[in-house]
Amino acid sequence: MDNNHLEHATIAGGCFWCVESCFHMLKGVSSVTSGYSGGHKDNPTYEEVCTGTTGHAEVVEITFDPKIISYKQLLEVFWFLHNPTTLNRQGNDVGTQYRSAIFYHSEKQKLEAEESMKASEAKQEWNGKYVTEIVPFQKFWPAEAYHQGYYNANPNQPYCSAVVGPKIQKFKKHFGELGWLK
């Protein structure tokens, strides 16, 4: 991977454990870090974010090589992994920290995110109007160390086996057939 051309994508699609584990498997992705973005408190903790008072969303920051995987392709995965029609909720995870959001790093990313959302909505991949925020990236705060690679370290934890595991299997089937997996 050519480290001189790496770019960043920051997205929120519900619980970061679900999202992080899938993006790690993609060709061209060099790292995925769970964290917080979109809020007003510096250095928020998981407990603070869970109160819903910091304004942060659970996000992943993806470092990728656009020569191998494009930002548009990352967005295809994003739309696949979560339901962008549910406001401040993914499944049983409820609160503003679980909102659907794209934090763009450039005007090019903003335009691609807007186009991608319109295309996904037009294909009716999900029933309903998308509520995904497309907002400028400001700051990323990495989550606590125990959140990083959480699913891989805890696959038998009840939430992981009930929610994350099935999502990963669906992801592997779909994107493996496209040849996108490492």
Coordinates of all heavy atoms in Angstrom, one line a residue, residues 68-154:
I68 N -6.6 1.7 -4.5 CA -7.0 0.3 -4.4 C -8.6 0.3 -4.2 O -9.3 -0.5 -4.8 CB -6.3 -0.4 -3.2 CG1 -4.8 -0.4 -3.5 CG2 -6.8 -1.8 -3.0 CD1 -4.0 -0.9 -2.4
I69 N -9.1 1.2 -3.3 CA -10.5 1.3 -3.1 C -10.9 2.7 -3.0 O -10.2 3.6 -2.4 CB -10.9 0.5 -1.8 CG1 -12.4 0.5 -1.6 CG2 -10.3 1.2 -0.5 CD1 -12.9 -0.5 -0.6
S70 N -11.9 3.1 -3.7 CA -12.3 4.5 -3.8 C -13.2 4.9 -2.6 O -13.8 4.0 -2.0 CB -13.1 4.7 -5.1 OG -14.4 4.1 -5.1
Y71 N -13.3 6.2 -2.4 CA -14.3 6.7 -1.4 C -15.7 6.3 -1.7 O -16.5 5.9 -0.9 CB -14.1 8.2 -1.4 CG -14.9 8.9 -0.3 CD1 -14.7 8.7 1.0 CD2 -16.0 9.7 -0.7 CE1 -15.4 9.3 2.0 CE2 -16.8 10.4 0.3 CZ -16.5 10.2 1.7 OH -17.2 10.8 2.6
K72 N -16.0 6.3 -3.0 CA -17.4 5.9 -3.4 C -17.6 4.4 -3.1 O -18.7 4.1 -2.7 CB -17.6 6.1 -4.9 CG -17.8 7.5 -5.4 CD -18.0 7.6 -6.9 CE -18.1 9.1 -7.3 NZ -18.4 9.2 -8.7
Q73 N -16.6 3.6 -3.2 CA -16.8 2.2 -2.8 C -17.0 2.0 -1.3 O -17.8 1.2 -0.8 CB -15.6 1.3 -3.3 CG -15.6 1.1 -4.8 CD -14.3 0.5 -5.3 OE1 -13.2 0.9 -5.0 NE2 -14.5 -0.6 -6.1
L74 N -16.2 2.8 -0.5 CA -16.4 2.8 0.9 C -17.8 3.2 1.3 O -18.4 2.7 2.2 CB -15.4 3.8 1.6 CG -13.9 3.4 1.5 CD1 -13.1 4.5 2.1 CD2 -13.7 2.0 2.2
L75 N -18.4 4.2 0.5 CA -19.7 4.6 0.8 C -20.8 3.5 0.4 O -21.8 3.4 1.1 CB -20.1 5.9 0.0 CG -19.3 7.2 0.5 CD1 -19.6 8.3 -0.4 CD2 -19.6 7.5 2.0
E76 N -20.5 2.7 -0.6 CA -21.4 1.6 -0.9 C -21.4 0.7 0.3 O -22.5 0.2 0.6 CB -20.8 0.9 -2.1 CG -21.1 1.5 -3.4 CD -20.6 0.7 -4.6 OE1 -20.9 -0.5 -4.7 OE2 -19.9 1.3 -5.5
V77 N -20.3 0.4 0.9 CA -20.2 -0.4 2.1 C -21.0 0.2 3.2 O -21.8 -0.4 3.9 CB -18.8 -0.7 2.5 CG1 -18.7 -1.5 3.8 CG2 -18.0 -1.5 1.4
F78 N -20.8 1.5 3.4 CA -21.5 2.3 4.5 C -23.0 2.1 4.3 O -23.7 1.8 5.3 CB -21.1 3.7 4.3 CG -21.9 4.7 5.2 CD1 -21.8 4.7 6.6 CD2 -22.8 5.6 4.6 CE1 -22.5 5.6 7.4 CE2 -23.5 6.5 5.4 CZ -23.3 6.5 6.8
W79 N -23.6 2.3 3.1 CA -25.0 2.2 2.9 C -25.5 0.7 3.2 O -26.6 0.5 3.7 CB -25.5 2.6 1.5 CG -25.1 4.0 1.2 CD1 -24.3 4.5 0.2 CD2 -25.5 5.2 1.9 NE1 -24.2 5.8 0.2 CE2 -24.9 6.3 1.3 CE3 -26.3 5.5 3.1 CZ2 -25.1 7.6 1.7 CZ3 -26.4 6.8 3.5 CH2 -25.8 7.8 2.8
F80 N -24.7 -0.2 2.9 CA -25.0 -1.6 3.1 C -25.1 -2.0 4.5 O -25.9 -2.8 5.0 CB -24.0 -2.5 2.3 CG -24.2 -4.0 2.4 CD1 -25.1 -4.6 1.5 CD2 -23.6 -4.7 3.4 CE1 -25.3 -6.0 1.6 CE2 -23.8 -6.1 3.5 CZ -24.7 -6.7 2.5
L81 N -24.2 -1.5 5.3 CA -24.0 -1.9 6.7 C -25.0 -1.4 7.7 O -25.1 -2.0 8.8 CB -22.6 -1.5 7.2 CG -21.4 -2.2 6.6 CD1 -20.1 -1.7 7.2 CD2 -21.5 -3.7 6.9
H82 N -25.7 -0.4 7.4 CA -26.7 0.2 8.4 C -27.9 0.7 7.7 O -27.9 0.8 6.5 CB -26.0 1.3 9.2 CG -26.0 2.6 8.5 ND1 -25.3 2.9 7.4 CD2 -26.6 3.8 8.9 CE1 -25.5 4.1 7.0 NE2 -26.2 4.7 7.9
N83 N -28.9 1.0 8.5 CA -30.2 1.5 8.0 C -30.2 3.0 8.1 O -30.3 3.6 9.2 CB -31.4 0.9 8.8 CG -32.7 1.4 8.2 OD1 -32.8 2.3 7.5 ND2 -33.7 0.7 8.6
P84 N -30.0 3.7 7.0 CA -29.9 5.2 7.0 C -31.2 5.9 7.1 O -31.3 7.1 7.0 CB -29.2 5.5 5.6 CG -29.6 4.4 4.7 CD -29.8 3.1 5.6
T85 N -32.3 5.1 7.3 CA -33.6 5.7 7.4 C -34.1 5.9 8.8 O -35.2 6.4 9.0 CB -34.7 4.9 6.6 OG1 -34.9 3.7 7.2 CG2 -34.2 4.7 5.1
T86 N -33.4 5.3 9.7 CA -33.8 5.4 11.1 C -33.1 6.5 11.9 O -31.8 6.5 11.9 CB -33.6 4.1 11.9 OG1 -32.3 3.7 11.7 CG2 -34.5 3.0 11.3
L87 N -33.8 7.5 12.4 CA -33.2 8.6 13.0 C -32.7 8.3 14.4 O -33.4 7.8 15.2 CB -34.2 9.8 13.1 CG -33.7 11.1 13.7 CD1 -32.6 11.7 12.8 CD2 -34.8 12.1 13.8
N88 N -31.4 8.5 14.6 CA -30.8 8.3 15.9 C -31.0 6.9 16.5 O -31.2 6.7 17.7 CB -31.3 9.3 17.0 CG -31.0 10.7 16.5 OD1 -30.0 11.0 15.9 ND2 -31.8 11.6 16.8
R89 N -30.9 5.9 15.6 CA -31.2 4.5 16.0 C -30.6 3.5 14.9 O -30.7 3.8 13.7 CB -32.7 4.3 16.1 CG -33.1 2.9 16.2 CD -34.6 2.7 16.2 NE -34.8 1.6 17.1 CZ -35.6 1.6 18.1 NH1 -36.3 2.7 18.4 NH2 -35.6 0.5 18.9
Q90 N -30.1 2.4 15.4 CA -29.7 1.3 14.6 C -30.2 0.1 15.4 O -29.6 -0.2 16.5 CB -28.3 1.2 14.3 CG -27.8 2.2 13.3 CD -28.5 2.1 12.0 OE1 -28.5 1.0 11.3 NE2 -29.1 3.2 11.5
G91 N -31.2 -0.6 15.0 CA -31.7 -1.7 15.8 C -32.1 -1.3 17.2 O -32.9 -0.4 17.3
N92 N -31.6 -2.0 18.2 CA -31.9 -1.7 19.6 C -31.1 -0.6 20.1 O -31.2 -0.2 21.3 CB -31.9 -3.0 20.4 CG -33.0 -3.9 20.1 OD1 -34.1 -3.5 19.7 ND2 -32.7 -5.2 20.3
D93 N -30.1 -0.2 19.4 CA -29.2 0.9 19.8 C -29.9 2.3 19.5 O -30.0 2.6 18.4 CB -27.8 0.9 19.1 CG -27.1 -0.4 19.5 OD1 -27.2 -0.9 20.6 OD2 -26.3 -0.9 18.6
V94 N -30.2 3.0 20.6 CA -31.0 4.2 20.4 C -30.3 5.4 21.0 O -29.8 5.3 22.2 CB -32.4 4.1 21.0 CG1 -33.2 5.3 20.9 CG2 -33.2 2.9 20.4
G95 N -30.3 6.5 20.3 CA -29.6 7.7 20.9 C -28.9 8.4 19.7 O -28.6 7.8 18.7
T96 N -28.6 9.7 19.9 CA -27.9 10.5 18.9 C -26.6 10.0 18.6 O -26.0 10.2 17.5 CB -27.9 12.0 19.3 OG1 -27.2 12.1 20.6 CG2 -29.2 12.6 19.4
Q97 N -26.0 9.3 19.5 CA -24.6 8.7 19.3 C -24.7 7.6 18.3 O -23.6 7.2 17.7 CB -24.0 8.2 20.6 CG -24.6 7.0 21.2 CD -25.7 7.3 22.2 OE1 -26.4 8.3 22.1 NE2 -26.0 6.4 23.2
Y98 N -25.9 7.1 17.9 CA -26.0 6.0 16.9 C -26.6 6.5 15.6 O -27.0 5.8 14.8 CB -26.9 4.9 17.5 CG -26.3 4.3 18.7 CD1 -27.0 4.4 19.9 CD2 -25.1 3.6 18.7 CE1 -26.5 3.8 21.1 CE2 -24.6 3.0 19.8 CZ -25.3 3.1 21.0 OH -24.8 2.6 22.2
R99 N -26.5 7.8 15.4 CA -27.1 8.4 14.2 C -26.2 8.0 13.0 O -25.1 7.6 13.1 CB -27.1 9.9 14.3 CG -25.8 10.7 14.4 CD -26.1 12.2 14.7 NE -24.9 13.0 14.7 CZ -24.2 13.2 15.9 NH1 -24.6 12.7 17.0 NH2 -23.1 14.0 15.8
S100 N -26.8 8.2 11.8 CA -26.2 8.0 10.5 C -25.6 9.3 10.1 O -26.3 10.3 9.9 CB -27.2 7.5 9.5 OG -26.7 7.3 8.2
A101 N -24.3 9.3 9.8 CA -23.6 10.5 9.4 C -22.3 10.2 8.6 O -21.7 9.2 8.8 CB -23.2 11.4 10.6
I102 N -22.1 11.1 7.7 CA -20.8 11.1 6.9 C -20.1 12.5 7.2 O -20.7 13.5 7.0 CB -21.1 11.0 5.4 CG1 -21.8 9.7 5.1 CG2 -19.7 11.1 4.6 CD1 -22.3 9.6 3.7
F103 N -18.9 12.4 7.8 CA -18.2 13.6 8.1 C -17.1 13.7 7.0 O -16.1 13.0 7.0 CB -17.5 13.4 9.5 CG -18.5 13.3 10.6 CD1 -18.9 12.0 11.0 CD2 -19.0 14.4 11.2 CE1 -19.8 11.9 12.0 CE2 -19.9 14.3 12.3 CZ -20.3 13.0 12.7
Y104 N -17.4 14.6 6.0 CA -16.5 14.7 4.9 C -15.3 15.5 5.1 O -15.3 16.5 5.9 CB -17.3 15.2 3.6 CG -17.9 16.6 3.8 CD1 -17.1 17.8 3.6 CD2 -19.2 16.8 4.2 CE1 -17.7 19.0 3.7 CE2 -19.7 18.0 4.3 CZ -19.0 19.2 4.1 OH -19.5 20.4 4.2
H105 N -14.2 15.1 4.5 CA -12.8 15.7 4.7 C -12.5 16.7 3.6 O -11.4 17.3 3.7 CB -11.8 14.6 4.8 CG -11.8 13.8 6.1 ND1 -11.0 14.0 7.1 CD2 -12.7 12.9 6.5 CE1 -11.3 13.2 8.1 NE2 -12.3 12.5 7.7
S106 N -13.3 16.8 2.5 CA -13.0 17.7 1.4 C -14.3 17.9 0.7 O -15.3 17.2 0.8 CB -12.0 17.0 0.5 OG -12.6 15.9 -0.2
E107 N -14.3 18.9 -0.2 CA -15.5 19.2 -1.0 C -15.7 18.0 -2.0 O -16.9 17.7 -2.2 CB -15.3 20.5 -1.8 CG -15.5 21.7 -1.0 CD -16.9 21.8 -0.3 OE1 -17.9 21.7 -1.0 OE2 -16.9 22.0 0.9
K108 N -14.7 17.4 -2.4 CA -14.9 16.2 -3.3 C -15.6 15.1 -2.5 O -16.5 14.5 -3.1 CB -13.5 15.7 -3.8 CG -13.6 14.5 -4.7 CD -12.2 14.1 -5.2 CE -12.3 13.0 -6.2 NZ -11.7 11.7 -5.8
Q109 N -15.2 14.9 -1.3 CA -15.9 13.8 -0.5 C -17.4 14.3 -0.3 O -18.3 13.4 -0.3 CB -15.2 13.6 0.8 CG -14.0 12.7 0.8 CD -13.5 12.3 2.1 OE1 -14.0 12.7 3.2 NE2 -12.5 11.4 2.1
K110 N -17.6 15.5 0.0 CA -19.0 16.0 0.2 C -19.8 15.7 -1.0 O -20.9 15.1 -0.9 CB -19.0 17.5 0.5 CG -20.4 18.1 0.6 CD -20.3 19.6 0.8 CE -21.8 20.2 0.9 NZ -21.8 21.6 0.9
L111 N -19.4 16.1 -2.2 CA -20.1 15.8 -3.4 C -20.3 14.3 -3.7 O -21.4 13.9 -4.0 CB -19.4 16.5 -4.6 CG -19.4 18.0 -4.6 CD1 -18.5 18.5 -5.8 CD2 -20.8 18.6 -4.7
E112 N -19.3 13.5 -3.5 CA -19.4 12.1 -3.6 C -20.4 11.5 -2.6 O -21.2 10.6 -3.0 CB -18.1 11.4 -3.6 CG -17.2 11.7 -4.8 CD -15.9 11.0 -4.7 OE1 -15.6 10.3 -3.8 OE2 -15.1 11.2 -5.7
A113 N -20.4 12.0 -1.4 CA -21.4 11.5 -0.4 C -22.8 11.9 -0.8 O -23.7 11.0 -0.7 CB -21.0 12.1 1.0
E114 N -23.0 13.1 -1.2 CA -24.4 13.5 -1.7 C -24.8 12.7 -2.8 O -26.0 12.2 -2.8 CB -24.4 15.0 -2.0 CG -24.2 15.9 -0.8 CD -23.9 17.4 -1.1 OE1 -23.6 17.7 -2.3 OE2 -24.0 18.2 -0.2
E115 N -24.0 12.5 -3.8 CA -24.3 11.7 -5.0 C -24.6 10.2 -4.6 O -25.6 9.6 -5.1 CB -23.2 11.7 -6.0 CG -23.1 13.1 -6.7 CD -21.8 13.1 -7.6 OE1 -21.0 12.1 -7.7 OE2 -21.5 14.2 -8.1
S116 N -23.8 9.7 -3.7 CA -23.9 8.3 -3.3 C -25.2 8.1 -2.5 O -25.9 7.1 -2.7 CB -22.7 7.9 -2.4 OG -22.9 6.6 -2.0
M117 N -25.6 9.1 -1.7 CA -26.8 8.9 -0.9 C -28.0 9.0 -1.9 O -28.9 8.2 -1.8 CB -26.9 10.0 0.1 CG -28.1 9.9 1.0 SD -28.1 10.9 2.5 CE -28.8 12.4 1.9
K118 N -28.0 9.9 -2.8 CA -29.1 10.0 -3.8 C -29.2 8.7 -4.6 O -30.3 8.2 -4.8 CB -28.9 11.2 -4.8 CG -29.2 12.5 -4.1 CD -28.9 13.6 -5.1 CE -28.9 15.0 -4.5 NZ -28.4 16.0 -5.3
A119 N -28.1 8.1 -5.0 CA -28.1 6.9 -5.8 C -28.7 5.7 -5.0 O -29.5 4.9 -5.4 CB -26.7 6.6 -6.3
S120 N -28.2 5.6 -3.7 CA -28.7 4.6 -2.9 C -30.2 4.7 -2.6 O -30.9 3.7 -2.6 CB -27.9 4.5 -1.6 OG -28.3 3.5 -0.7
E121 N -30.6 5.9 -2.3 CA -32.0 6.2 -2.0 C -32.9 5.8 -3.2 O -33.9 5.2 -3.1 CB -32.2 7.6 -1.6 CG -33.4 7.9 -0.7 CD -33.4 9.2 -0.1 OE1 -32.7 10.2 -0.5 OE2 -34.1 9.4 0.9
A122 N -32.4 6.2 -4.4 CA -33.1 6.0 -5.7 C -33.3 4.5 -5.9 O -34.3 4.0 -6.5 CB -32.4 6.6 -6.8
K123 N -32.3 3.7 -5.5 CA -32.3 2.2 -5.7 C -33.3 1.6 -4.7 O -33.5 0.4 -4.8 CB -30.9 1.6 -5.6 CG -30.0 1.9 -6.8 CD -28.8 1.0 -6.7 CE -27.7 1.7 -6.0 NZ -26.4 1.1 -6.0
Q124 N -33.7 2.3 -3.7 CA -34.6 1.9 -2.7 C -34.0 0.7 -2.0 O -34.7 -0.3 -1.7 CB -36.0 1.6 -3.2 CG -36.7 2.8 -3.8 CD -38.0 2.5 -4.4 OE1 -38.4 1.4 -4.7 NE2 -38.8 3.5 -4.6
E125 N -32.7 0.8 -1.6 CA -32.1 -0.3 -0.9 C -32.7 -0.4 0.5 O -32.6 -1.4 1.2 CB -30.6 0.0 -0.8 CG -29.9 -0.1 -2.2 CD -28.5 0.3 -2.2 OE1 -28.1 1.3 -1.5 OE2 -27.7 -0.3 -3.0
W126 N -33.2 0.7 1.0 CA -33.9 0.8 2.3 C -35.2 1.4 2.1 O -35.3 2.4 1.3 CB -33.0 1.6 3.3 CG -31.7 0.9 3.6 CD1 -30.5 1.2 3.0 CD2 -31.4 -0.1 4.6 NE1 -29.5 0.4 3.5 CE2 -30.1 -0.4 4.5 CE3 -32.2 -0.8 5.5 CZ2 -29.5 -1.4 5.3 CZ3 -31.6 -1.8 6.3 CH2 -30.3 -2.0 6.2
N127 N -36.2 1.0 2.8 CA -37.5 1.6 2.7 C -37.6 2.9 3.5 O -37.2 2.9 4.7 CB -38.6 0.7 3.3 CG -38.9 -0.5 2.3 OD1 -38.7 -0.3 1.2 ND2 -39.3 -1.6 2.9
G128 N -37.9 4.0 2.9 CA -38.0 5.3 3.6 C -37.0 6.3 3.1 O -36.1 6.0 2.4
K129 N -37.2 7.5 3.6 CA -36.3 8.6 3.3 C -35.0 8.5 4.2 O -35.1 8.3 5.4 CB -37.0 9.9 3.6 CG -36.1 11.1 3.3 CD -37.0 12.4 3.0 CE -36.1 13.6 2.7 NZ -35.1 13.4 1.8
Y130 N -33.9 8.8 3.6 CA -32.6 8.7 4.3 C -32.5 9.9 5.3 O -32.9 11.0 4.9 CB -31.4 8.7 3.4 CG -31.2 7.4 2.7 CD1 -32.2 6.4 2.5 CD2 -30.0 7.1 2.2 CE1 -32.0 5.2 1.9 CE2 -29.7 5.9 1.5 CZ -30.7 5.0 1.4 OH -30.5 3.8 0.8
V131 N -32.0 9.7 6.5 CA -31.8 10.8 7.5 C -30.3 11.0 7.7 O -30.0 11.7 8.7 CB -32.6 10.4 8.8 CG1 -34.1 10.4 8.5 CG2 -32.1 9.1 9.4
T132 N -29.5 10.5 6.9 CA -28.0 10.6 7.1 C -27.6 12.0 7.0 O -27.9 12.7 6.0 CB -27.3 9.7 6.1 OG1 -27.8 8.4 6.1 CG2 -25.8 9.8 6.2
E133 N -26.8 12.5 8.0 CA -26.2 13.8 8.0 C -25.0 13.7 7.1 O -24.2 12.8 7.2 CB -25.8 14.2 9.4 CG -26.9 14.3 10.4 CD -26.4 14.6 11.8 OE1 -25.1 14.6 12.0 OE2 -27.2 14.8 12.7
I134 N -24.8 14.7 6.3 CA -23.5 14.9 5.6 C -23.0 16.2 6.0 O -23.5 17.3 5.6 CB -23.7 14.8 4.0 CG1 -24.3 13.4 3.7 CG2 -22.4 15.1 3.3 CD1 -24.7 13.3 2.2
V135 N -21.9 16.2 6.9 CA -21.4 17.4 7.5 C -19.9 17.4 7.5 O -19.3 16.4 7.3 CB -21.9 17.4 9.0 CG1 -23.4 17.6 9.1 CG2 -21.5 16.2 9.8
P136 N -19.3 18.6 7.6 CA -17.9 18.7 7.5 C -17.2 18.0 8.7 O -17.7 18.1 9.9 CB -17.6 20.2 7.6 CG -18.9 20.9 7.7 CD -20.0 19.9 7.7
F137 N -16.1 17.4 8.5 CA -15.3 16.8 9.5 C -14.7 17.9 10.3 O -14.2 18.9 9.7 CB -14.2 15.9 8.9 CG -13.3 15.4 9.9 CD1 -13.6 14.3 10.7 CD2 -12.0 16.0 10.1 CE1 -12.7 13.8 11.6 CE2 -11.1 15.5 11.0 CZ -11.5 14.4 11.8
Q138 N -14.7 17.8 11.6 CA -14.0 18.8 12.4 C -12.9 18.1 13.3 O -11.8 18.5 13.3 CB -15.0 19.5 13.3 CG -15.9 20.4 12.5 CD -16.9 21.1 13.3 OE1 -17.0 21.0 14.5 NE2 -17.7 21.9 12.6
K139 N -13.3 17.1 14.1 CA -12.3 16.5 15.0 C -12.7 15.1 15.2 O -13.9 14.7 15.3 CB -12.3 17.3 16.3 CG -11.3 16.8 17.4 CD -9.9 17.2 17.0 CE -9.0 16.7 18.1 NZ -7.6 16.8 17.8
F140 N -11.7 14.2 15.4 CA -11.9 12.8 15.7 C -11.2 12.5 17.0 O -10.1 12.9 17.2 CB -11.3 11.9 14.6 CG -11.3 10.5 14.9 CD1 -12.5 9.7 14.8 CD2 -10.2 9.9 15.3 CE1 -12.5 8.4 15.1 CE2 -10.1 8.5 15.6 CZ -11.3 7.8 15.5
W141 N -12.0 11.9 17.9 CA -11.4 11.4 19.2 C -11.4 9.9 19.2 O -12.5 9.3 19.2 CB -12.2 12.0 20.3 CG -12.4 13.5 20.3 CD1 -13.4 14.2 19.8 CD2 -11.4 14.4 20.8 NE1 -13.2 15.5 20.0 CE2 -12.0 15.7 20.6 CE3 -10.2 14.3 21.4 CZ2 -11.3 16.9 20.9 CZ3 -9.5 15.5 21.7 CH2 -10.0 16.7 21.5
P142 N -10.3 9.3 19.2 CA -10.3 7.8 19.3 C -11.0 7.3 20.6 O -10.8 7.9 21.6 CB -8.8 7.4 19.4 CG -8.0 8.6 18.9 CD -8.9 9.8 19.2
A143 N -11.7 6.2 20.4 CA -12.4 5.6 21.6 C -11.3 4.9 22.4 O -10.2 4.7 22.0 CB -13.4 4.6 21.1
E144 N -11.7 4.5 23.6 CA -10.8 3.8 24.5 C -10.3 2.6 23.9 O -10.9 2.0 23.0 CB -11.6 3.5 25.8 CG -12.1 4.7 26.6 CD -13.4 5.4 26.0 OE1 -13.9 5.0 24.9 OE2 -13.9 6.3 26.7
A145 N -9.1 2.1 24.4 CA -8.4 1.0 23.8 C -9.3 -0.3 23.7 O -9.2 -1.0 22.7 CB -7.1 0.7 24.5
Y146 N -10.1 -0.5 24.7 CA -10.9 -1.7 24.7 C -11.9 -1.8 23.6 O -12.4 -2.9 23.3 CB -11.5 -2.0 26.1 CG -12.6 -1.1 26.5 CD1 -14.0 -1.5 26.2 CD2 -12.4 0.1 27.1 CE1 -15.0 -0.7 26.5 CE2 -13.5 0.9 27.5 CZ -14.8 0.5 27.2 OH -15.8 1.3 27.6
H147 N -12.2 -0.6 23.0 CA -13.2 -0.6 21.9 C -12.5 -1.0 20.5 O -13.2 -1.4 19.6 CB -13.8 0.8 21.7 CG -14.8 1.1 22.8 ND1 -16.0 0.4 23.0 CD2 -14.8 2.0 23.8 CE1 -16.7 0.9 24.0 NE2 -16.0 1.9 24.5
Q148 N -11.2 -0.8 20.4 CA -10.5 -1.1 19.2 C -10.5 -2.6 18.9 O -10.1 -3.4 19.7 CB -9.1 -0.5 19.2 CG -9.1 1.0 19.6 CD -10.0 1.9 18.8 OE1 -10.2 1.7 17.6 NE2 -10.5 2.9 19.5
G149 N -11.0 -3.0 17.7 CA -11.0 -4.4 17.4 C -11.9 -5.2 18.3 O -11.6 -6.4 18.6
Y150 N -12.9 -4.6 18.8 CA -13.7 -5.2 19.9 C -14.3 -6.6 19.5 O -14.2 -7.6 20.2 CB -14.8 -4.3 20.3 CG -15.5 -4.8 21.6 CD1 -15.0 -4.5 22.8 CD2 -16.7 -5.6 21.5 CE1 -15.6 -5.0 24.0 CE2 -17.3 -6.1 22.6 CZ -16.8 -5.8 23.9 OH -17.4 -6.2 25.0
Y151 N -14.9 -6.6 18.3 CA -15.5 -7.9 17.9 C -14.5 -9.0 17.8 O -14.7 -10.1 18.2 CB -16.2 -7.7 16.5 CG -16.8 -9.1 16.0 CD1 -17.9 -9.6 16.6 CD2 -16.1 -9.8 15.1 CE1 -18.4 -10.8 16.2 CE2 -16.6 -11.1 14.7 CZ -17.7 -11.6 15.2 OH -18.2 -12.8 14.8
N152 N -13.3 -8.7 17.2 CA -12.3 -9.8 17.0 C -11.8 -10.3 18.4 O -11.5 -11.5 18.5 CB -11.1 -9.3 16.2 CG -11.5 -9.1 14.8 OD1 -12.4 -9.7 14.3 ND2 -10.8 -8.3 14.1
A153 N -11.8 -9.4 19.4 CA -11.4 -9.8 20.7 C -12.5 -10.5 21.5 O -12.2 -11.2 22.5 CB -10.8 -8.6 21.5
N154 N -13.7 -10.2 21.2 CA -14.9 -10.7 22.0 C -16.0 -11.2 21.1 O -17.2 -10.9 21.3 CB -15.4 -9.5 22.8 CG -14.4 -8.8 23.6 OD1 -14.1 -9.3 24.7 ND2 -13.9 -7.7 23.2

